[in-house]
């Protein structure tokens, strides 16, 4: 009973029809490493590793872990892309609402990029899809607001207190944001009273002046989140680096392009990335690396920037990628080389629980973060076996995604934090993760550089 005895013949229902060769669509991101867009989707071998539950661990795939529905797996997304795009019946092969709906719950966490045995990179496939889908349907207002958030922050930073009042007023949170499609259960990140660049203009020369002439130089990438919202983290990062003997430079550059990439506005992201590479090319080298505080921003240099470029610009992107590090990675390397000493830190015992950023897990590693946090004598670090926090940039702010976002947080992360005693420090390098932790548990997460700065003697 239950055995299928009348199966269809082996040569029917094939992925491809004999003699029919799909035409690869033109793409903005470079898919040549997988021989094209369709071939990347086609790489899915159906193994169903993306159907594992949160109890098994890992990051892939948070939407499935929270819903247990096949439609929310990486596999389902790869299947629908392959099915529609390899058999195009429209001028724009991406112009299918069916694909949009199946890709909609992908959090672009990149878990599949590193954990899928075939390395199906759904975040990359989704970003490319969205750009072409919007080419036919226009970019929705909400996606525009998220992508261009730095413009609003820049404008608001002239009168930050007024801006903060406006974005937390009922008129904005309950009327405008609701109308645009954001959840009313979250508040938007507030602006700090100054920007990191303004603070650095006043304070950095003095900090650098206290260093010897031959002090090693590092370039700090002032991402848009640290420059406008998490300024205190940026200040501590600069003070930490200078206290440890590094001369800090803040070369001029634009925003990271992360918000545009996550919303699929790849043409705009390409322009920003190109401009950043040209701005940084004369500053960044192996001896003078580029350090970033927000993982999703700095890791764009290693992950998406080379894919956004072609020709000579791709070579430049690869060169800068090889000199770009999360600040955690740089500090861990310097600790390994003996350039940072344990005596520079307190011996007071502290216990830390770390939630790694999902893109950090996919593109880099949480090991350097664990290393720097356990560097002070008597600091103990354990990594929470969480995957994606569920916020995923703006995903958790979107009203139809809020519930799923919180469900993802409840899988592992929120219970682990709720069970941690009050004196345990919660470390989270990602700005979205820290907001999600606060919204889900009421606890405040700290960036690793804040913890390390506070540990200096
Ligand atoms: S997407 Fe990756 S993990 Fe999921 S079924 Fe396909 S090959 Fe397996
Ligand atoms: S990027 Fe994350 S949410 Fe999207 S398919 Fe991959 S693992 Fe799932």
């Amino acid at each position: 009973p239950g055995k299928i005895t009348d199966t269809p013949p082996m040569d029917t229902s094939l992925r491809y029809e004999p003699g029919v060769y799909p035409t690869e669509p033109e793409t903005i991101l470079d898919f040549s490493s997988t021989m094209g867009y369709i071939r990347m989707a086609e790489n899915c071998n159906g193994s169903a590793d993306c159907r594992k539950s949160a109890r098994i661990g890992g990051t892939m795939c948070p939407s499935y872990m929270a819903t247990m529905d096949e439609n929310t797996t990486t596999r389902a997304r790869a299947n629908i892309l392959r099915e529609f795009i390899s058999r195009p019946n429209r001028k724009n092969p991406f112009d299918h609402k069916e694909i949009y709906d199946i890709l909609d719950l992908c959090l672009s966490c990149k878990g599949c990029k590193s954990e899928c045995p075939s390395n199906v990179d759904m975040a990359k496939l989704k970003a490319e899809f969205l750009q072409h889908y919007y080419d036919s349907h226009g970019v929705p207002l909400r996606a525009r607001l998220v992508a261009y958030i730095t413009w609003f922050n820049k404008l608001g930073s002239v009168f930050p207190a007024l801006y903060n009042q406006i974005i937390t007023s009922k008129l904005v949170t309950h009327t405008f944001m609701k109308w645009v499609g954001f959840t009313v259960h979250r508040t938007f990140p507030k602006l700090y009273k100054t920007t990191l660049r303004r603070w650095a203009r006043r304070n950095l020369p003095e900090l650098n002046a206290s260093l010897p002439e031959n002090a090693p130089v590092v370039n700090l990438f002032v991402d848009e989140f640290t420059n406008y919202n998490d300024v205190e983290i940026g200040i501590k990062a600069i003070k930490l680096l200078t206290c440890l003997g590094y001369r800090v430079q803040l070369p001029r550059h634009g925003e990271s392009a992360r918000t545009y990439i996550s919303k699929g506005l790849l043409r705009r992201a390409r322009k920003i990335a190109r401009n950043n590479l040209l701005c940084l090319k004369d500053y960044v080298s192996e001896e003078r690396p580029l350090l970033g505080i927000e993982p999703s921003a700095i890791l764009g240099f290693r992950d998406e920037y080379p894919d956004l470029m072609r020709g000579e610009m791709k070579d430049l992107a690869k060169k800068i990628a090889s000199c770009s590090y999360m600040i955690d990675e740089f500090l861990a390397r310097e600790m390994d080389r003996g350039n940072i000493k344990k005596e520079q830190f307190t011996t007071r015992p502290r216990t830390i629980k770390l939630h790694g950023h999902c893109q950090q897990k996919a593109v880099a590693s949480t090991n350097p973060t664990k290393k720097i946090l356990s560097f002070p004598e008597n600091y103990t670090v354990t990594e929470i076996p969480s995957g994606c926090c569920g916020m995923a940039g703006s995903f958790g702010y979107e009203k139809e995604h809020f519930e799923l976002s919180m469900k993802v947080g409840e899988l592992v992360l929120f219970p682990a934090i709720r069970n941690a005693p009050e004196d345990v420090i919660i470390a989270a390098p990602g700005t979205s993760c820290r907001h999600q932790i606060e919204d889900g548990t009421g606890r405040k997460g700290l960036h690793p550089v804040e913890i390390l700065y506070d540990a200096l003697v």
Side-chain angles (χ1 to χ4, degrees):
K3 298 283 185 296
I4 302 170
T5 54
D6 188 18
T7 55
M10 289 283 284
D11 58 354
T12 60
S13 303
L14 300 173
R15 277 190 177 187
Y16 293 114
E17 288 157 30
V20 178
Y21 300 100
T23 312
E24 280 291 344
E26 272 189 33
T27 57
I28 297 154
L29 290 167
D30 182 4
F31 284 86
S32 60
S33 62
T34 53
M35 294 165 65
Y37 187 92
I38 298 173
R39 293 304 293 266
M40 181 185 270
E42 164 70 8
N43 275 351
C44 170
N45 59 30
S47 69
D49 293 67
C50 48
R51 281 180 62 98
K52 61 183 160 60
S53 75
R55 292 177 68 183
I56 295 174
T59 303
M60 177 181 73
C61 171
S63 50
Y64 177 76
M65 287 178 184
T67 63
M68 305 302 268
D69 176 356
E70 169 70 22
N71 281 339
T72 66
T73 59
T74 316
R75 175 168 72 179
R77 293 167 187 140
N79 278 341
I80 199 159
L81 282 170
R82 190 193 63 243
E83 197 59 30
F84 274 99
I85 297 179
S86 63
R87 302 162 197 262
N89 56 7
R90 293 184 186 168
K91 194 165 162 235
N92 177 357
F94 294 90
D95 180 15
H96 292 282
K97 179 75 167 48
E98 294 88 339
I99 308 179
Y100 183 93
D101 289 343
I102 291 292
L103 265 57
D104 186 47
L105 295 189
C106 167
L107 290 91
S108 296
C109 68
K110 302 194 187 198
C112 45
K113 181 185 171 83
S114 60
E115 292 179 22
C116 160
S118 301
N119 301 114
V120 173
D121 183 350
M122 191 50 64
K124 184 176 175 183
L125 290 165
K126 182 178 177 180
E128 187 74 43
F129 163 77
L130 283 176
Q131 175 70 83
H132 298 282
Y133 186 77
Y134 292 154
D135 285 346
S136 292
H137 297 270
V139 182
L141 176 61
R142 186 176 68 184
R144 268 185 210 279
L145 285 175
V146 171
Y148 287 84
I149 188 69
T150 307
W151 288 26
F152 298 104
N153 283 343
K154 191 173 179 182
L155 207 66
S157 70
V158 181
F159 297 109
L162 177 66
Y163 176 90
N164 289 340
Q165 255 189 358
I166 293 172
I167 61 159
T168 49
S169 69
K170 278 233 159 79
L171 184 70
V172 170
T173 53
H174 280 70
T175 311
F176 177 70
M177 291 304 182
K178 204 169 158 187
W179 173 68
V180 176
F182 291 108
T183 177
V184 295
H185 301 297
R186 295 197 196 265
T187 49
F188 278 83
K190 288 186 186 166
L191 293 181
Y192 190 65
K193 60 187 175 205
T194 184
T195 67
L196 183 60
R197 282 202 181 272
R198 266 184 232 144
W199 179 90
R201 266 200 295 278
R202 283 198 306 275
N203 298 283
L204 188 54
E206 198 185 322
L207 291 170
N208 279 337
S210 63
L211 295 166
E213 202 58 35
N214 61 350
V217 176
V218 294
N219 292 292
L220 189 66
F221 182 73
V222 183
D223 65 77
E224 55 276 24
F225 313 103
T226 311
N227 193 38
Y228 294 108
N229 310 109
D230 299 331
V231 180
E232 283 171 299
I233 298 174
I235 293 172
K236 285 190 176 177
I238 290 175
K239 286 185 175 174
L240 175 69
L241 286 165
T242 49
C243 280
L244 294 174
Y246 300 92
R247 188 180 300 280
V248 178
Q249 287 188 160
L250 305 189
R252 291 222 70 79
H253 58 74
E255 56 192 300
S256 70
R258 172 56 58 204
T259 56
Y260 300 90
I261 294 167
S262 73
K263 290 288 123 191
L265 307 190
L266 294 180
R267 291 193 193 91
R268 175 84 193 138
R270 176 189 273 173
K271 277 190 193 146
I272 294 169
R274 188 172 191 282
N275 180 48
N276 281 344
L277 293 170
L278 293 174
C279 285
L280 294 169
K281 73 177 170 43
D282 295 328
Y283 292 94
V284 177
S285 64
E286 202 40 68
E287 296 73 40
R288 297 181 168 211
L290 184 67
L291 310 184
I293 293 168
E294 164 56 29
S296 67
I298 189 69
L299 292 175
F301 280 89
R302 301 209 317 233
D303 196 16
E304 288 96 350
Y305 277 31
D307 277 341
L308 282 165
M309 297 297 134
R310 302 288 192 276
E312 281 178 11
M313 285 305 293
K314 188 189 267 298
D315 296 337
L316 176 61
K318 284 183 181 166
K319 189 173 158 235
I320 293 187
S322 68
C323 310
S324 302
Y325 303 94
M326 286 172 53
I327 190 167
D328 321 32
E329 294 175 302
F330 172 77
L331 292 171
R333 189 188 76 179
E334 292 300 286
M335 287 167 182
D336 279 341
R337 289 178 178 174
N339 296 331
I340 300 174
K341 307 266 185 299
K342 280 195 186 286
E343 300 77 61
Q344 293 171 287
F345 297 95
T346 181
T347 53
R348 224 180 109 215
R350 293 306 306 253
T351 307
I352 300 164
K353 277 197 179 289
L354 166 68
H355 164 71
H357 188 280
C358 50
Q359 295 186 3
Q360 168 185 16
K361 290 173 199 159
V363 180
S365 161
T366 53
N367 288 339
T369 311
K370 282 186 275 184
K371 181 174 187 68
I372 62 169
L373 288 175
S374 53
F375 192 69
E377 203 93 54
N378 304 320
Y379 270 39
T380 314
V381 185
T382 47
E383 185 171 358
I384 301 170
S386 46
C388 175
C389 70
M391 183 67 100
S394 66
F395 184 89
Y397 281 90
E398 294 161 358
K399 74 172 176 216
E400 72 280 21
H401 296 150
F402 172 73
E403 202 185 319
L404 175 65
S405 163
M406 296 311 266
K407 264 190 180 170
V408 172
E410 288 293 352
L411 291 170
V412 177
L413 180 62
F414 295 168
I417 291 177
R418 285 190 201 112
N419 289 335
E422 277 303 312
D423 60 343
V424 169
I425 302 173
I426 307 300
T431 186
S432 296
C433 312
R434 292 191 295 273
H435 284 285
Q436 175 78 330
I437 287 169
E438 196 158 357
D439 288 351
T441 68
R443 296 276 291 265
K444 192 170 157 48
L446 297 178
H447 191 287
V449 294
E450 295 183 272
I451 299 168
L452 223 50
Y453 174 75
D454 293 341
L456 282 171
V457 288

